[in-house]
Amino acid sequence: MSVPVISVAVHSPHLPIPFPTAVFAIFFISRILCSHGAPVAPMTPYLMLCQPHMRCGDKFYDPLQHCCYDDAVVPLARTQRCGNCTFRVCFEQCCPWTFMVKLINQNCDSAPTSDDRLCRS
């Protein structure tokens, strides 16, 4: 035995969305879109709604323009001296006891590689 299904179609005129609901919807959608980045103003002709961000201590920074070095936000082009060499602090590190510049992800105690530079004091 089958049970009859009754469907009721309700037709309502298109009403404008109330202001608080619209504000909440815009906020909710922007939070979803920007859940992996901070909202930023476009810096190029392309519209950028969200951009990745990193944290350095209590400050946020754009990793395309800055890095965190010694708990400070510094420009990617920042350099420092290591013996008689200059190294880029965002990409390289100075191993002070050997005056060797290595890539940032390498251990100073590891064997020298072709990427390393020996800098005399």
Side-chain angles (χ1 to χ4, degrees), residues 7-13:
S7 64
V8 177
V10 177
H11 179 68
S12 64

Side-chain angles (χ1 to χ4, degrees), residues 32-108:
I32 289 173
L33 291 175
C34 298
S35 63
H36 297 293
V40 295
M43 300 180 69
T44 65
Y46 303 101
L47 178 63
M48 294 172 48
L49 293 176
C50 303
Q51 180 174 338
H53 64 275
M54 303 289 286
R55 191 174 184 130
C56 182
D58 61 347
K59 297 181 180 175
F60 287 97
Y61 67 93
D62 176 2
L64 300 175
Q65 297 177 356
H66 298 90
C67 75
C68 186
Y69 176 72
D70 201 21
D71 292 326
V73 176
V74 298
L76 289 179
R78 173 73 52 94
T79 60
Q80 291 222 168
R81 301 288 298 170
C82 179
N84 63 352
C85 293
T86 302
F87 71 100
R88 301 167 301 162
V89 300
C90 294
F91 307 103
E92 301 170 313
Q93 62 181 325
C94 178
C95 301
W97 52 92
T98 59
F99 287 109
M100 186 170 292
V101 173
K102 290 182 165 281
L103 294 176
I104 203 82
N105 61 351
Q106 292 178 334
N107 187 336
C108 281

Side-chain angles (χ1 to χ4, degrees), residues 17-25:
I17 298 174
F19 181 74
T21 305
V23 170
F24 177 76

